[in-house]
Amino acid sequence: KYMNYKKAMKWISKLNKSGYAGYQDWRLPTVDEAASLLEPSKRNGLYIDPVFSKKQKWIWTGDKTDYGSEAAWFVRFYDGNVYRGYILYNCYVRPVRSVR
């Protein structure tokens, strides 16, 4: 999905309420988790393993910035960097779960 941060959080909530894929603990990845997907060099035009979708060139994380509630961190796979962006920007959403 491609949406602003507030819509992303609502969508994650809907996934949890519906028990998507049998689970109710979906969330956005942390900055560290999303950044851990970055590769040191481009592969198929992105700094991420080709096993992942080429469509998702940038994704939201669940971590807010020191700019209060108006900004959150996102990872851009097309240039291999982490940025802060205003929650009104649109990014892709990649829900994750913690494995125990």
Side-chain angles (χ1 to χ4, degrees):
K1 297 275 186 172
Y2 185 70
M3 59 190 74
N4 69 41
Y5 192 84
K6 286 183 180 181
K7 287 183 181 177
M9 295 307 287
K10 285 181 184 177
W11 185 63
I12 295 286
S13 179
K14 284 181 184 179
L15 290 179
N16 287 325
K17 284 180 184 173
S18 70
Y20 178 73
Y23 299 97
Q24 296 179 315
D25 57 351
W26 296 100
R27 60 181 173 77
L28 292 177
T30 65
V31 171
D32 289 340
E33 289 169 337
S36 76
L37 299 176
L38 291 169
E39 295 284 331
S41 60
K42 274 191 176 184
R43 297 171 67 182
N44 292 335
L46 298 174
Y47 288 91
I48 190 169
D49 191 288
V51 71
F52 293 101
S53 170
K54 286 179 68 172
K55 184 178 181 182
Q56 293 183 335
K57 294 180 174 133
W58 50 86
I59 63 168
W60 281 120
T61 74
D63 294 337
K64 294 286 189 142
T65 70
D66 54 354
Y67 285 82
S69 63
E70 296 304 311
W73 294 102
F74 64 96
V75 174
R76 288 196 331 197
F77 298 112
Y78 68 86
D79 66 1
N81 285 299
V82 177
Y83 296 93
R84 79 174 162 251
Y86 289 101
I87 60 174
L88 298 176
Y89 293 169
N90 285 326
C91 287
Y92 289 95
V93 179
R94 182 173 287 163
V96 299
R97 309 178 44 249
S98 296
V99 179
R100 296 185 180 123

